Amino acid sequence: MKIETLAVHAGSAVDPATGAVSAPIYLSTTYERDIEGTYSRGFMYTRNNNPNREALERGVSALEGGDAAAAFGSGMAAAMALFQALDPGDHVLAHVDAYYGTSRLLRETFLRWGLEGDFVDMSNLDEIKKALRPRTKLAWTETPSNPLLKIVDLAAVAEIVHRTNALCVCDNTWAPVLQRPFDLGIDLVLHSTTKYFGGHCDVAGGIVIAKKDDDFFQRVRTIQYSGGAVPSPFDCWLILRGMRTLPWRMRAHSENAMKVAEFLAQHPKVEVVHYPGLHTSPGHEIAGRQMSMFGGMLSFEVKDGRDAAMSAAAKTKIFTRATSLGGVESLIEHRASIEGSGTTSPVNLLRLSVGLENADDLIEDLDQALG
Ligand SMILES: *Cc1c(COP(=O)(O)O)cnc(C)c1O
C-alpha cells in the first residue's frame, strides 16, 4: 500500500460492537477478566495497554514500516525510555545539533546515572569513526536539525555505526513521511508526535518505532508500561486522527516552506536562509537523496543582529510568536532566547514553522515585518 492509503487506514477497523467508523475512545482504566482468570481480549489495565494506544502503535508502526512501536506521553518520555533501556557504562554517540531537550536530558540526567556520552557532528563521518568505542550502544541522529536545518546522511551513518554492535536511532520528528529512516538502515525511529503527527498544536505525545521487535525494544516496552509515562486514550485517539492527513499536510507544509524560503533568500534584510530545499544549502544534495520533499521547517538570520530579529518577530500578524512546530498555523520563534545559556543558535536567527495558510499571505506578512 502507498503511504497516503496507509495513513488513512493503518491501525483502524470498524468497531465490531457498534459499526462505528471512527474508533471509540476507551476511557476505562480496567478490563474484565475471563472466568478462568485470564484476559483473552488482550487488555487488563490502562497503563499496560488500552485499545486506543494499541491502535496508535499499530498505525504509526505500519506508516514507518517497522515491526512494533511504543507510545509515550511526550517526545522526551520516548527519548528517556531509549536511554533507560541502556546499561550504566554504555556509551551514547549523540549529535551536537540534536534537539536541545534531548542533549540536556543526556547531559544533565543520564550521564549522572552512569551513561557515557560524546557529542559529535554527525554530518562529519570521520568524527563518528573516531568517537565510536567498544561500549557504544546507541548513535543518535536527527535530520534536518534544529534550528540550523543541518542534514545528516542517515545511510552513511548507519553503515559506519553497524560496523560495531551499536544501534542507530533517528529522531524523525521534523520529517515524517518525507524521510523513511528504516529504508536507510536505521534501527529505531523516534517521533515527538506533539508536532506533525498531532498536527494541530492540541496534543502532546511521543513514540518509538523499532525496525525489529528485538530484546532492546522489549526493554523499551517494559519501561513504557512499568514506568508509566504513557499517553491517555484521548491523546492516542487525537494523534491517530492527525496521522490520517499527515502525508497531505507534509506535502503542503513543504510546498509553502519552499516558497517562503525562496522569498527570504532574496530579501535584502536577510543574511542567510537555512532550508535544505535551497540549492545553496550545504545539505541540499544529501537531503535530495533521502527526503521526498524538504519539510515545513526553516530558519533565517536577519541582518543587523539580535534586535533586528526580535523586532521582525514582534511585527508579524499571521505568524504567532511561539515555540513548537508542526501545526496548521505558522509560528515564528527567536530560538536563542528560548534555549538560554549554552545555546548554539545564532542571536539573529528566527525559526519558522510554516503552516498551511496560503503562502502568499505568509510572504506578505514576513515582508511587512522585515520592513
Ligand atoms: C519537540 C521535539 C522533541 C521533544 O518532544 P516533546 O513532545 O516536546 O517532548 C524531540 N525532538 C524534536 C526534533 C522535537 O522537535
Side-chain angles (χ1 to χ4, degrees), residues 74-76 99 102 142 146 171 173-174 190 192 194-195 205 325:
S74 71
M76 291 325 296
Y99 174 67
T102 306
E142 183 180 323
N146 180 9
D171 181 338
T173 300
W174 280 29
L190 176 138
S192 163
T194 314
K195 314 295 171 50
L325 59 115

Side-chain angles (χ1 to χ4, degrees), residues 12-312:
S12 103
V14 171
D15 178 39
T18 61
V21 170
S22 167
I25 299 166
Y26 294 89
L27 293 177
S28 184
T29 54
T30 187
Y31 291 83
E32 187 186 36
R33 292 173 82 161
D34 304 322
I35 289 163
E36 325 74 80
T38 52
Y39 288 96
S40 61
R41 285 165 286 193
F43 301 102
M44 177 176 81
Y45 181 63
T46 198
R47 171 161 46 74
N48 293 29
N49 202 359
N50 66 63
N52 295 105
R53 197 163 90 213
E54 190 180 88
L56 174 66
E57 289 171 349
R58 268 194 288 119
V60 176
S61 176
L63 195 80
E64 276 291 4
D67 238 10
F72 293 85
S74 71
M76 291 325 296
M80 187 141 103
L82 287 173
F83 293 138
Q84 286 172 325
L86 299 170
D87 291 318
D90 283 350
H91 177 245
V92 177
L93 211 53
H95 185 26
V96 274
D97 219 28
Y99 174 67
Y100 189 71
T102 306
S103 309
R104 190 175 52 194
L105 185 66
L106 183 59
R107 258 194 333 262
E108 293 181 3
T109 303
F110 284 97
L111 297 186
R112 270 201 302 116
W113 279 69
L115 289 185
E116 309 265 318
D118 276 310
F119 290 84
V120 299
D121 179 354
M122 290 275 175
S123 61
N124 183 338
L125 302 178
D126 287 333
E127 258 189 59
I128 301 174
K129 284 179 202 158
K130 280 198 203 114
L132 281 168
R133 298 191 207 161
R135 281 207 71 175
T136 306
K137 287 287 168 63
L138 207 64
W140 192 283
T141 65
E142 183 180 323
T143 181
S145 77
N146 180 9
L148 290 171
L149 283 290
K150 288 194 188 151
I151 301 296
V152 170
D153 187 335
L154 292 175
V157 172
E159 195 271 316
I160 291 168
V161 169
H162 285 155
R163 293 178 199 165
T164 71
N165 281 325
L167 294 167
C168 227
V169 182
C170 175
D171 181 338
N172 202 23
T173 300
W174 280 29
V177 177
L178 308 175
Q179 189 164 269
R180 316 271 302 151
F182 290 146
D183 294 345
L184 302 167
I186 296 291
D187 306 293
L188 294 150
V189 169
L190 176 138
H191 286 281
S192 163
T193 48
T194 314
K195 314 295 171 50
Y196 286 109
F197 268 87
H200 298 75
C201 293
D202 54 10
V203 59
I207 198 161
V208 173
I209 309 112
K211 189 174 185 177
K212 281 208 209 81
D213 189 354
D214 56 8
D215 289 347
F216 185 82
F217 182 73
Q218 281 309 312
R219 283 192 183 198
V220 173
R221 172 70 79 204
T222 304
I223 289 159
Q224 178 203 33
Y225 71 74
S226 60
V230 290
S232 77
F234 185 43
D235 292 349
C236 295
W237 187 93
L238 277 174
I239 293 160
L240 192 55
R241 200 264 290 263
M243 190 182 93
R244 302 302 178 212
T245 53
L246 184 62
W248 296 100
R249 285 188 286 110
M250 291 316 295
R251 198 168 299 181
H253 282 295
S254 300
E255 281 173 12
N256 273 359
M258 192 67 170
K259 288 180 192 163
V260 170
E262 281 169 348
F263 161 76
L264 289 170
Q266 52 75 49
H267 198 284
K269 295 269 172 73
V270 174
E271 211 164 82
V272 59
V273 180
H274 304 287
Y275 186 63
L278 296 175
H279 293 282
T280 49
S281 156
H284 178 69
E285 197 217 308
I286 295 168
R289 250 189 283 136
Q290 69 187 17
M291 301 175 81
S292 57
M293 292 178 88
F294 300 102
M297 295 300 296
L298 64 94
S299 64
F300 64 103
E301 293 176 46
V302 180
K303 276 187 190 153
D304 305 325
R306 180 182 191 278
D307 292 347
M310 291 302 263
S311 149

